[in-house]
Amino acid sequence: MAGRTFRDFADLNAQVLAWCENVANAKPKRALGVAPSAAYAVERPCLQPLPAVLPPVYQVVERVVDLQGFVSLETNRYSVPERWVGKALSVYLYATEVRVCRGEQLLAVHARLLGVRDTKQKLPGHHPTPQPRPRTPPREATLLQGHDPLLDAYVAALVRQAHGRGVRPLRRLLDFKRTYPKEPLLAAVAQALQFGLFDMGRLEHMILQQVAGDFFNLDDGGDDA
């Protein structure tokens, strides 16, 4: 090619173009059954122009969302909304990003993890941590509180150390309040609170010790039917 000028190449290209149009495209082809120029004339109304900008190159793969709400790609994991756990989704791998779709629905767009392995990437809003419901005090605790500061303190301590909401011991304590006089009840509660005693059986025994025989008003000399 040494010594050839730009004009020489232009002439050569013109000769090749003329041969394609007048010889190659005008000759019927066995695969087409007609000449390429005749086939082009038929197909031309159906042809669409190429886009001005070429679409980005990508690779698409199918992935099943794991139990933690992630899809795996190239040893890394990308989050999707947790409602798609166990579902097969289409993952589009681009040069700098990863798109997760269900049919035509776009579910998540991640920055592609490059140069790392076994890394997990979670988008904001995916897999929110469940917030525990605020514990409402049992009805029995509400009925017990507000009558005496000592009883209020004992109810609060009982709820803190009880398993669950402490409904059963609170219910027995409410029965004690309704059954026994106030002074013996509060005296026993004060002792129980001092020693951290929350066994309702022992508390009732302490109340009965405070009550002694006065609560029952037994008359040894009376005649009972």
Side-chain angles (χ1 to χ4, degrees), residues 6 8 17-18 31 34 56 66-67 69 92 100 106 112 116 123 126 148 150 175 182 188 193 208 217 219 224:
F6 177 79
D8 293 334
L17 179 61
V34 294
D66 63 24
L67 294 178
Y92 293 81
V100 186
L106 179 62
R112 183 177 174 183
V116 294
L123 293 179
H126 287 181
D148 186 274
L150 185 62
D175 290 339
K182 180 178 179 180
L193 186 60
L208 292 174
N217 293 321
D219 186 359
D224 294 334

Side-chain angles (χ1 to χ4, degrees), residues 23-73:
V23 179
N25 291 341
K27 182 179 180 181
K29 304 297 182 183
R30 182 180 303 175
L32 298 176
V34 294
S37 56
Y40 174 70
V42 175
E43 297 173 356
R44 184 173 182 178
C46 300
L47 298 178
Q48 297 180 359
L50 292 173
V53 179
L54 293 178
V57 178
Y58 64 87
Q59 177 186 4
V60 59
V61 294
E62 298 293 323
R63 291 291 186 270
V64 175
V65 183
D66 63 24
L67 294 178
Q68 296 181 342
F70 291 84
V71 293
S72 297
L73 191 66

Side-chain angles (χ1 to χ4, degrees), residues 70 103 161 165:
F70 291 84
Q161 65 83 40
R165 302 173 67 200

Side-chain angles (χ1 to χ4, degrees), residues 103-116:
E104 297 182 355
Q105 181 182 4
L106 179 62
L107 304 181
V109 179
H110 290 266
R112 183 177 174 183
L113 296 172
L114 300 172
V116 294

